[in-house]
Amino acid sequence: MKCRICQHAISAFMTFGPMPIANCFLTQDEFGSEFFFELKPAFCERCYTFQIENQPDPELMFHDQYAFFSRTSVFMQRHFRAYADWVADNHLRGDDLFVVEIGSNDGIMLEHFANRGIRHLGVEPSANVAEEARKFGVESIVRFFGPETAAYIVSEYGQADSLLAANVMCHIPDLNSIAKGADLLLKPAGVLIFEDPYLGSMLEKTSYDQIYDEHVFIFSALSVVNIFAAHGFELIDLLPQETHGGSMRYVLARKGVRDISSSVSGIINDEKAAGLHLPETYRQFKRDCEASKARLVGLLTDEKDAGRRVVGYGATSKSTTILNYCGIGADLIEYISDTTPIKQHKFSPGMHIPVKPYEAFAGDYPDTALLLAWNHQLEIMAKEKAFSSQGGKWISPIPDSKSKT
Ligand code: DWN
Ligand code: SAH
């Protein structure tokens, strides 16, 4: 295949096998018509972009039944309040301010601009989550972002001071069109700010579950520099984040318009020292994924052999990759507990494990919980002290470091 960014010839360095749509929770009568594609990651040696070879059509993933609602984590609600405050304090100056967010979901971040009286607009193709945002005073248009949407926004609302995004840039296959849209939309000194799961963290933790249909890219600073340079944008700041198992916030502006923070060269040097630009790093990642799979299947098989009840905690998108790659089905996990109504009483994509409301877990503790929402570990451990203290055991599919079992 050709690199989605620079058109260099690239090929996948491994396969995770056939995968369903990560957020397509289904009913029993839908099992026969389930969509599968082969999940194969590739690395471009020219522009350093980590990407997947085949991505299903975005309309199959983002629609009026989208299953992920951002507000399901209280920690993330706090994070987005802080993100909005940081943008307002550091990057918004002057009068008649206007902020646009790509992938604004249920309004978890824009709510805070609305509360400050700052003009805002969400661009959100999944109609059901955009509708939820309305309850929080957040205005959205139900569209995919790109140059046409940008031109529409400029004609209806004017140019923006900031174009914001969180956990969405890595979902969009045609980033050249996003950069063109940003160029149309932003005022001359406007900034593009986005954060996404960080490639360095994924490699360090072997958190291969960050790779699934929606996540067509896993970014590093090295790759983000190359992706946007072709469109006249430069990276002016980088801020590591703890969210989603390790993320990075990228701040970009038109070349020469803003000062560049020293953290940019610092983090790029760290990435080179960690070998993020080298193909051998990805060959090692493949071996790490295989070891991670063997560990997890071994632990769950031991639980089963000991006659212990295991349930999954959090029907995350990420868990679709883990469960399907490792071949973990309802023989090893009785059900998955999740607080999101649209996922409940359905079955997990591909492996068809029942998804039950949280009350099923709280009302009848299993022996062991598989922490599929491992990225929300602090929040969940604080909430589940009673389970842990009465002897409940936790297994994390992604232990904190490679050496930990
Ligand atoms: O990039 C993306 C991120 C931001 O969100 C999207 N592509 C889709 C989604 O990914 P995810 O599904 O892996 O995200 P989370 O935040 O890890 O999902 C957590 C899941 O666990 C939700 O379904 C809610 C559930 N949950 C729960 O049942 N009890 C979460 C918490 C914190 C809880 O206490
Ligand atoms: N920003 C939120 C939601 C992330 S999930 C958070 O961090 O929690 C990704 C969101 O991006 C989904 O709501 C999806 O519908 C939306 N999305 C996907 N492709 C998009 C595109 N091309 N333009 C705008 N939004 C998009």
Side-chain angles (χ1 to χ4, degrees):
M1 73 169 286
K2 286 208 163 73
C3 168
R4 292 171 193 277
I5 304 300
C6 73
Q7 311 306 316
H8 186 61
I10 58 173
S11 56
F13 60 83
M14 70 178 290
T15 178
F16 291 103
M19 286 288 158
I21 300 290
N23 264 313
C24 186
F25 294 83
L26 49 171
T27 54
Q28 219 153 359
D29 57 340
E30 291 168 328
F31 288 177
S33 56
E34 194 169 12
F35 174 91
F36 286 89
F37 70 103
E38 191 178 354
L39 183 64
K40 291 191 286 185
F43 173 71
C44 178
E45 292 176 43
R46 188 156 79 186
C47 71
Y48 309 137
T49 306
F50 185 103
Q51 53 203 282
I52 59 173
E53 237 188 67
N54 316 307
Q55 192 194 30
D57 185 343
E59 317 252 339
L60 280 177
M61 301 183 282
F62 310 115
H63 40 60
D64 60 2
Q65 297 293 309
Y66 186 56
F68 176 70
F69 286 70
S70 301
R71 289 175 197 271
T72 43
S73 156
V74 173
F75 178 86
M76 292 308 295
Q77 290 180 27
R78 283 202 292 270
H79 172 75
F80 281 111
R81 176 195 289 265
Y83 186 172
D85 286 349
W86 177 84
V87 171
D89 294 346
N90 293 282
H91 289 287
L92 293 177
R93 298 271 180 278
D95 303 322
D96 193 27
L97 297 167
F98 178 42
V99 169
V100 176
E101 185 186 354
I102 308 176
S104 44
N105 199 279
D106 56 13
I108 191 169
M109 174 149 70
L110 285 182
E111 174 191 3
H112 302 292
F113 293 99
N115 290 345
R116 282 175 176 247
I118 295 175
R119 274 199 311 137
H120 71 272
L121 183 69
V123 181
E124 176 47 71
S126 300
N128 59 334
V129 294
E131 182 57 32
E132 182 71 12
R134 200 184 289 272
K135 297 181 191 160
F136 298 88
V138 169
E139 189 191 345
S140 327
I141 48 172
V142 178
R143 294 171 77 133
F144 288 93
F145 186 80
E148 282 158 26
T149 301
Y152 167 78
I153 297 172
V154 173
S155 71
E156 294 291 315
Y157 302 81
Q159 282 191 305
D161 295 272
S162 288
L163 179 58
L164 307 177
N167 308 302
V168 60
M169 212 56 105
C170 70
H171 296 55
I172 305 178
D174 184 3
L175 286 182
N176 290 320
S177 84
I178 297 297
K180 279 183 201 147
D183 197 24
L184 281 171
L185 182 63
L186 286 171
K187 291 177 184 171
V191 281
L192 167 63
I193 307 176
F194 64 92
E195 57 184 43
D196 279 294
Y198 181 53
L199 183 63
S201 306
M202 184 184 86
L203 297 173
E204 199 182 298
K205 297 185 175 158
T206 317
S207 45
Y208 65 87
D209 57 344
Q210 291 294 359
I211 307 166
Y212 54 93
D213 55 356
E214 295 182 21
H215 288 185
V216 62
F217 299 111
I218 308 290
F219 297 127
S220 59
L222 282 163
S223 59
V224 167
V225 165
N226 289 326
I227 293 166
F228 288 94
H231 299 274
F233 285 96
E234 65 184 358
L235 197 49
I236 60 163
D237 205 359
L238 286 169
L239 297 99
Q241 307 292 316
E242 283 178 4
T243 49
H244 291 300
S247 297
M248 185 66 78
R249 183 176 300 165
Y250 305 90
V251 185
L252 294 111
R254 290 193 180 83
K255 201 166 168 31
V257 170
R258 298 271 188 133
D259 293 340
I260 299 181
S261 154
S262 58
S263 64
V264 173
S265 56
I267 289 178
I268 286 181
N269 287 339
D270 292 347
E271 291 186 351
K272 287 188 180 150
L276 264 59
H277 58 316
L278 301 175
E280 168 51 24
T281 300
Y282 302 93
R283 289 194 282 273
Q284 181 59 43
F285 176 66
K286 173 178 188 279
R287 293 190 287 273
D288 292 343
C289 290
E290 288 159 358
S292 174
K293 172 180 177 173
R295 165 195 170 270
L296 182 59
V297 172
L299 288 174
L300 293 175
T301 308
D302 289 349
E303 292 294 300
K304 186 184 174 183
D305 292 348
R308 295 165 60 82
R309 283 179 63 218
V310 182
V311 310
Y313 197 106
T316 59
S317 324
K318 296 180 292 292
S319 68
T320 296
T321 297
I322 294 180
L323 300 172
N324 285 274
Y325 172 55
C326 298
I328 297 165
D331 54 329
L332 291 176
I333 294 183
E334 197 176 303
Y335 66 88
I336 304 172
S337 149
D338 197 286
T339 52
T340 318
I342 198 174
K343 298 183 183 180
Q344 296 165 355
H345 310 295
K346 293 191 181 153
F347 293 85
S348 74
M351 297 310 293
H352 303 162
I353 300 169
V355 179
K356 296 194 180 179
Y358 173 66
E359 291 66 33
F361 175 85
D364 180 17
Y365 283 152
D367 298 303
T368 302
L370 174 63
L371 186 58
L372 295 168
W374 58 271
N375 47 309
H376 299 302
Q377 181 169 359
L378 286 179
E379 177 174 349
I380 293 170
M381 290 308 128
K383 196 156 50 183
E384 300 302 349
K385 285 194 180 118
F387 169 68
S388 306
S389 61
Q390 55 84 53
K393 175 176 166 185
W394 292 96
I395 293 178
S396 176
I398 311 292
D400 286 346
S401 74
K402 283 176 198 167
S403 55
K404 216 166 138 186
T405 50

